[in-house]
Amino acid sequence: MSGRVGDEIQMNETAGGELSIGPLPYIHKLGKPPKQNLLKEIITAAKETFFSDDPLRSFKDKPKSKKFVLGVQAVFPIIGWARNYSLSKFKGDLIAGLTIASLCIPQDIGYAKLAYLPPQNGLYSSFVPPLVYAFMGSSRDIAIGPVAVVSLLVGDLLQAEIDPNDLIPYRRLAFTATFFAGLTQLALGFFRLGFLIEFLSHAAIVGFMGGAAITIALQQLKGLLGIKKNFTKKTDIVSVLRSVFNSAHHGWNWQTIVIGVTFLAFLLVAKHIGKRNRKYFWVPAIAPMISVVVSTFCVYITRADKDGVQIVNHIEKGINPVSANDLFLSGEYVGKAFRIGVVAGIIALTEAIAIGRTFATMKDYQIDGNKEMVALGTMNIIGSLTSCYVATGSFSRSAVNYMSGCHTAVSNIVMAGVVFLTLELITPLFKYTPNAILASIIIAAVVNLLDYEAVILIWKIDKFDFVACMGAFFGVVFMSVEIGLLIAVSLSLAKILLQVTRPRTAVLGKLPRTSVYRNTLQYPEARKIPGVLIVRVDSAIYFSNSNYIKERILRWLAEEEELVKENNLPRIQHLIVEMSPVTDIDTSGIHALEELYKNLQKKEVQLALANPGTIVMEKLYASEFANEIGENNIFLSVGDAVHVFAPKTSNTEEP
């Protein structure tokens, strides 16, 4: 027979030859761990932090030629999957590429306006970056190009430095910021620092995206209502609505409103149809292009532009011109471009990684986050040299790409090919496209960023997460995109600091008819052991929380002593600290335990530790604290400690 640790049993032979069950006469003790080599410990920690995926595993025991091929394949994943590419896969990628191209072309023109850039720069950003990503990216489903949130962020930060009407220096600053955005992404991937973007919590991202969606939609009122003059460049809701109402008497154009509202309704209905039935995913995908074609034709034949309907006018023909000489690599704008690029690069990276992981999970494959960062960084660096601004993965286009049946990143190549033909052949046809249509397309596209279901779920799960979500949301809506982002990051870090500095502790009791000890608040039926207080610490013990943990344990003891006096129960003589969740401890943590031990000695209470891990045990012995409290007071389990301190209670089975 066998039993769990802390509830060991043995078979004893009685005088009559019968067998009886009784507790083992010994208690397991934790062994003293061997000393670790300092260099080995540092290497192990660094490997787990930066190389937990062990990227060199596939290179082991391979000939040099094979290692070279694997090395090239690691940088260009296309070499790996291209060997098994087939005509059937190409058919799926072709359909997907054509579908997302019909969606991206009108969106790119509109998103460029969000960034206060000429429309051709939006199209440029859906030509070169997707081609680079197709060769270097590891996701099969991401559709690359400009996105609404990043475009708004870039435009907001750029126009604070240079007037968008001063086009040449403004574009130069945009290209330089894109260069630094790519450099940031590349550096994070190359040095395997991708874990840093995890500090932006999901709740904060939901709030930031929702606030950005409201801000983007409000910004489009200028195009939707045909407002020509004196519209604010600020993004907060108060400034935008003030501009709208101030222009109501003389700035609105009824023809523009009719065009904008009509096609906005059409786009929302198309989106609803695609959402209700996945078979009709292509309806919302081609609706923007249909809207552009029909509205452009109507404006052209009616010459509504002469009646005040604002149109796109000129879009430069031809593919991306080289912009390497346009970058600000010296002077006053370098620092500004760097700041803008870092912020935009991290937001773009966060969105792309989230999208890639989402669709990888749906298709049951894995993406390498660090390789994704290298790919995204490289494509933005090359993009900055070819008149592009910051590009990343678009959720709406990636969803269409996924539902269209894409198999590989070839769909991005097909999309880039269509954009190439558009730039070379048909950009003049967009001359009479009304701005109201672009505004309608953007509003319809950002509707999905308002994820109210996620907000409700966040409220149900974690109230602090909800505060972070709402803080980011209201920061974007009522202040600015930059302030909202700062609030999102600050609240995410505040939550981490709160959890680190104020970890949870719990008083444990024994569940009836078991040897299991659990939180008495979670399990009211758990029985406390007379004369023994059992406290569990649910965190590593560091300088940031060691004093709090010590004081919290002493408060638990004081509260328990009061209850004991009120109920005339045996006084507390033993305090057991359950340390299984304590993954690590530092010098401050050891000092806190020493102070706790001294405080308990004054109260004539014996301290015991239950189940400390290997790292914790090693440090307890290195500091001599294990010898100070005595090895006999360090146990394998809470059950073992109770067996020693309260043997009668631990052996009594509740009815």
Side-chain angles (χ1 to χ4, degrees), residues 109-145:
I109 296 172
Y111 291 160
K113 286 185 172 293
L114 268 181
Y116 302 106
L117 288 166
Q120 62 267 16
N121 289 107
L123 294 172
Y124 295 159
S125 301
S126 278
F127 173 50
V128 171
L131 290 176
V132 177
Y133 182 84
F135 283 85
M136 298 187 67
S138 59
S139 173
R140 307 171 194 168
D141 302 282
I142 286 183
I144 296 296

Side-chain angles (χ1 to χ4, degrees), residues 109-411:
I109 296 172
Y111 291 160
K113 286 185 172 293
L114 268 181
Y116 302 106
L117 288 166
Q120 62 267 16
N121 289 107
L123 294 172
Y124 295 159
S125 301
S126 278
F127 173 50
V128 171
L131 290 176
V132 177
Y133 182 84
F135 283 85
M136 298 187 67
S138 59
S139 173
R140 307 171 194 168
D141 302 282
I142 286 183
I144 296 296
V147 298
V149 173
V150 176
S151 299
L152 174 70
L153 179 64
V154 168
D156 186 39
L157 297 176
L158 289 176
Q159 59 92 20
E161 304 297 341
I162 298 178
D163 187 347
N165 294 320
D166 199 357
L167 186 58
I168 293 177
Y170 184 85
R171 289 177 66 181
R172 291 185 65 190
L173 185 62
F175 299 151
T176 310
T178 302
F179 174 80
F180 284 118
L183 201 62
T184 300
Q185 294 169 337
L186 181 63
L188 288 174
F190 182 80
F191 293 107
R192 308 186 71 79
L193 299 174
F195 62 88
L196 293 177
I197 65 172
E198 306 292 344
F199 283 98
L200 196 59
S201 71
H202 172 70
I205 292 173
V206 169
F208 174 76
M209 291 294 186
I214 297 292
T215 302
I216 291 167
L218 290 172
Q219 287 282 311
Q220 301 317 301
L221 292 177
K222 177 183 179 182
L224 200 67
L225 302 176
I227 301 172
K228 295 181 179 179
K229 298 179 180 178
N230 302 323
F231 195 83
T232 182
K233 287 186 171 64
K234 296 181 179 179
T235 59
D236 64 281
I237 188 171
V238 176
S239 299
V240 173
L241 291 180
R242 185 184 291 123
S243 290
V244 171
F245 290 127
N246 289 343
S247 64
H249 298 294
H250 55 81
W252 295 10
N253 180 274
W254 70 267
Q255 295 100 324
T256 300
I257 295 173
V258 170
I259 293 171
V261 172
T262 300
F263 283 98
L264 176 59
F266 168 68
L267 290 167
L268 292 176
V269 170
K271 187 180 287 287
H272 179 71
I273 292 171
K275 193 174 182 179
R276 287 286 299 272
N277 194 330
R278 290 186 60 181
K279 291 191 298 183
Y280 299 116
F281 69 88
W282 51 271
V283 174
I286 66 171
M289 185 58 77
I290 292 174
S291 301
V292 168
V293 172
V294 173
S295 63
T296 302
F297 180 72
C298 291
V299 170
Y300 176 73
I301 62 173
T302 61
R303 295 313 306 266
D305 56 305
K306 294 184 177 180
D307 295 322
V309 175
Q310 297 179 61
I311 57 177
V312 172
N313 282 318
H314 178 65
I315 299 180
E316 289 185 12
K317 189 177 179 181
I319 59 172
N320 307 36
V322 176
S323 57
N325 295 328
D326 294 334
L327 301 183
F328 287 119
L329 298 179
S330 61
E332 60 176 315
Y333 289 118
V334 174
K336 297 174 181 178
F338 177 78
R339 178 178 61 85
I340 296 169
V342 169
V343 174
I346 290 175
I347 292 298
L349 198 59
T350 303
E351 187 170 356
I353 297 296
I355 292 168
R357 286 175 177 169
T358 299
F359 289 105
T361 300
M362 294 169 69
K363 282 191 175 179
D364 195 25
Y365 69 93
Q366 292 184 335
I367 62 170
D368 187 322
N370 289 297
K371 287 181 182 178
E372 284 294 288
M373 294 175 200
V374 170
L376 293 164
T378 304
M379 81 179 189
N380 276 315
I381 290 174
I382 295 175
S384 70
L385 306 178
T386 53
S387 302
C388 304
Y389 75 100
V390 183
T392 187
S394 163
F395 187 83
S396 59
R397 275 175 264 173
S398 298
V400 170
N401 195 31
Y402 169 80
M403 290 186 289
S404 300
C406 71
H407 294 283
T408 66
V410 169
S411 59

